[in-house]
């Protein structure tokens, strides 16, 4: 059976920066996957020691300029930063979180990951633009990018039904 790495906040755990969980809209499928023992849950940020709640963080340029092209892979490569709204640079912790999550996926043989979209760690189709003004842009977070680089197929929570159909066909 293919195991699926999953953002822990999609399983009702209130681990997000604002102390909430994230609704997936696909609880029936997630319940079935859990009953099958298919899921490997991780919150990359909490796993490296971030508290909940914590300040919001966004992927930003190393200098003052906003740069719409920057995303998680640039943080992994040292070309961009993850900044908390307070201005604290948490890039190193985010890189460690990404690395640890890739290792966890490898240990469990996960070829798929379902991650919470929009997060600077877990976002897979969109993230925030670094302005802390609620502006989104297409892109991936740090952990999502690292998983993809490692060959794990990353799905957003809106794609759970599609992944379920794929897994059922295998
Ligand atoms: Fe959820 Fe990922 Fe944020 Fe943890 S880092 S709360 S798993 S979106």
């Amino acid at each position: 059976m293919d195991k699926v790495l999953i953002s822990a906040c999609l399983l009702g755990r209130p681990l997000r920066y604002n102390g909430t969980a994230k609704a997936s809209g696909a609880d029936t499928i997630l319940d079935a996957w859990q009953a099958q023992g298919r899921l490997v849950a991780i919150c990359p940020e909490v796993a490296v020691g971030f508290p909940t709640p914590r300040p919001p963080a966004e992927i930003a340029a190393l200098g003052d300029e906003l740069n719409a092209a920057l995303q998680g892979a640039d943080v992994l490569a040292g070309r961009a930063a993850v900044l908390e709204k307070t201005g604290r640079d948490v890039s190193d912790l985010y890189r460690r979180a990404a690395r640890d999550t890739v290792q966890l996926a490898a240990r469990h043989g996960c070829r798929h990951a379902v991650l919470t979209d929009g997060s600077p760690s877990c976002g897979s189709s969109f993230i925030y633009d670094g302005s802390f003004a609620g502006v989104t842009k297409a892109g991936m977070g740090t952990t999502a990018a690292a998983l993809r680089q490692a060959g794990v197929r990353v799905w957003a929570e809106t794609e759970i039904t599609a992944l379920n159909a794929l897994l059922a066909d295998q």
Side-chain angles (χ1 to χ4, degrees):
M1 177 178 58
D2 272 340
K3 294 222 172 183
V4 175
L5 191 89
I6 187 163
S7 292
C9 61
L10 289 173
L11 298 178
R13 300 185 202 168
L15 299 173
R16 296 174 70 219
Y17 73 96
N18 59 2
T20 66
K22 178 75 181 202
S24 69
D27 284 348
T28 306
I29 294 172
L30 294 185
D31 288 348
W33 286 355
Q34 245 183 333
Q36 294 162 2
R38 194 187 279 284
L39 294 178
V40 178
I42 174 83
C43 172
E45 294 175 17
V46 169
V48 294
F50 282 102
T52 303
R54 54 191 171 277
E58 297 188 6
I59 292 172
L62 293 172
D64 289 338
E65 297 280 311
L66 275 181
N67 183 337
L70 293 174
Q71 51 177 292
D74 297 298
V75 177
L76 298 177
R79 292 188 296 266
V82 183
L83 301 181
E84 290 185 337
K85 195 172 183 182
T86 59
R88 178 187 172 214
D89 186 329
V90 288
S91 306
D92 284 342
L93 277 170
Y94 270 66
R95 282 189 279 264
R96 193 198 312 165
R99 228 175 16 244
D100 290 355
T101 305
V102 167
Q103 288 173 359
L104 181 70
R107 277 203 301 281
H108 289 274
C110 299
R111 294 192 297 131
H112 299 277
V114 175
L115 303 183
T116 302
D117 220 353
S119 154
S121 292
C122 294
S124 60
S125 79
F126 77 93
I127 54 175
Y128 288 83
D129 77 345
S131 67
F132 293 97
V135 181
T136 60
K137 63 181 184 182
M140 303 186 84
T142 47
T143 292
L147 286 165
R148 183 169 285 179
Q149 287 172 5
V152 177
R153 189 164 171 190
V154 178
W155 306 70
E157 70 272 19
T158 52
E159 299 173 307
I160 289 172
T161 302
L163 175 56
N164 193 46
L166 179 74
L167 294 173
D169 275 351
Q170 290 176 346

